[in-house]
Amino acid sequence: MYRITIDRDACDGVFACLVRDGRFAEDGEGLATLDTEGPTELEVDNAHAVAAAFDDDRRDDAEQAAAACPLDAIHVESVEDDAGAVDTPSSDTEEVQP
C-alpha cells in the first residue's frame, strides 16, 4: 500500500500531475486534488492537504506525477495495511531495568 499526499499550501495549479496520473484532478479552487473512484476514500481533505491510500499497481504513475510537480507538492509514501492491527499505546520514555 502507498499514500499520495498533496500539500495544498505548496500547490500552485501547474497540473503537471494530471497528465501523468489520471487520479489527479483540478478542484473548485484551481488546485490539484485526488479523484478517488471505487473503494478508496480521501483520508485527509482540508485547506492544507489532500491524502488517500491506495493498494493497486499504479504507484509508478503516482511517483511520476510527484516527480513532475515543480513545487514538490506531491508526496508518495509506503504505508502498512492496518487491517486487523491492534492499537497499542506508545511511550516516549524507555523503561529502565535495574
Side-chain angles (χ1 to χ4, degrees), residues 38-58:
T40 301
E41 294 183 16
L42 293 177
E43 296 175 344
V44 176
D45 186 9
N46 60 43
H48 303 289
V50 174
F54 296 88
D55 189 12
D56 58 27
D57 61 352
R58 298 176 62 192

Side-chain angles (χ1 to χ4, degrees), residues 2-19:
Y2 61 97
R3 177 179 294 117
I4 301 172
T5 304
I6 302 171
D7 179 348
R8 293 177 53 83
D9 292 329
C11 181
D12 200 23
V14 175
F15 301 123
C17 54
L18 271 66
V19 298

Side-chain angles (χ1 to χ4, degrees), residues 60-82:
D60 283 346
D61 294 343
E63 289 179 347
Q64 288 179 22
C69 180
L71 301 164
D72 293 326
I74 302 168
H75 304 280
V76 180
E77 63 184 339
S78 295
V79 294
E80 292 185 26
D81 186 1
D82 289 340

